[in-house]
Amino acid sequence: ARPHPPPAAAATQPAAAPAQRAALGERADWLSTGGTAAARADQQAQRGTVWLAIADWFDVRRDEIGSFGRAWDRGGLVAVPPAARPAYASALDALLEPRARVLLSCFDYDQQVAPGPPFALAVDDVRALFPRYSVRVLARTDASAEFRKRVGTPWEKIERMDELALLLVKRRPWWRRVLWPFGDD
């Protein structure tokens, strides 16, 4: 994901200004794929750039790091206890632009067999957490065998555990759809 609008810095500079990084209390920098600086700059120009911020998820604000058009959640939401999920979803929603897309990886299983984390998260749970988003299942794979290898833990008793890859797309607000009904949501 990258902040929008992008900072006025050159492509090889960190995505956040020093003051923004200081406000986060940690480093926020480009993620490079290796190679020479020129090759990395060329890759960033061609494919876009991944921008990472290390911060307390529940305290980060849009005015500190900007807004995002894309996000990937692999291991974030499933690590949050169910009671804290609405706050997590609200924090994510506040950072995302209209029509933003989120790739979400989660697990669906009988939570009574293994207490988590990762905590179970079914598609209907995701829809309830993100009512302003369309939710589409991109992939569903059986992850049971991998978790059963954890001998001596509740996971070895798991009968079925699906790993889901979900695409969430933020819908325009209802009043925008009424005033300008031309769109694909």
Side-chain angles (χ1 to χ4, degrees), residues 6 27 31 42 56 63-64 72 75 79 99 105 108 118 134 139 143 148 151 162 167 179:
R27 71 173 194 274
L31 176 67
D42 187 51
D56 181 334
D63 63 335
E64 293 174 334
W72 178 30
R99 313 284 292 233
S105 298
D108 187 6
S134 63
R148 278 192 213 115
V151 178
D162 290 334
L167 176 64
L179 295 175

Side-chain angles (χ1 to χ4, degrees), residues 72-95:
W72 178 30
D73 184 323
R74 170 103 174 61
L77 187 55
V78 296
V80 175
R85 286 180 183 164
Y88 181 98
S90 177
L92 177 60
D93 182 58
L95 295 174

Side-chain angles (χ1 to χ4, degrees), residues 1-90:
R2 63 183 169 82
H4 183 77
T12 58
Q13 294 298 313
Q20 290 169 316
R21 290 196 315 274
L24 293 174
E26 296 284 344
R27 71 173 194 274
D29 223 337
W30 295 107
L31 176 67
S32 65
T33 57
T36 66
R40 284 195 304 271
D42 187 51
Q43 288 172 351
Q44 291 169 354
Q46 288 178 13
R47 297 186 195 140
T49 304
V50 175
W51 185 78
L52 299 177
I54 300 171
D56 181 334
W57 180 252
F58 296 98
D59 290 336
V60 71
R61 295 187 327 261
R62 188 178 194 148
D63 63 335
E64 293 174 334
I65 66 171
S67 62
F68 298 85
R70 305 280 187 272
W72 178 30
D73 184 323
R74 170 103 174 61
L77 187 55
V78 296
V80 175
R85 286 180 183 164
Y88 181 98
S90 177

Side-chain angles (χ1 to χ4, degrees), residues 92-173:
L92 177 60
D93 182 58
L95 295 174
L96 294 174
E97 301 167 359
R99 313 284 292 233
R101 295 172 178 263
V102 178
L103 178 60
L104 174 65
S105 298
C106 59
F107 296 98
D108 187 6
Y109 67 94
D110 182 0
Q111 185 77 62
Q112 294 179 5
V113 174
F119 295 101
L121 190 63
V123 176
D124 288 340
D125 298 332
V126 174
R127 287 190 174 112
L129 288 169
F130 297 95
R132 295 178 43 209
Y133 292 72
S134 63
V135 178
R136 188 173 74 185
V137 177
L138 299 177
R140 179 184 293 265
T141 58
D142 186 357
S144 308
E146 185 63 35
F147 276 81
R148 278 192 213 115
K149 292 178 185 176
R150 299 176 182 185
V151 178
T153 69
W155 296 107
E156 70 181 346
K157 297 179 183 124
I158 200 99
E159 288 182 30
R160 175 77 182 189
M161 179 182 223
D162 290 334
E163 183 171 9
L164 304 171
L166 305 176
L167 176 64
L168 286 68
V169 179
K170 191 173 188 177
R171 296 185 188 113
R172 294 182 297 157

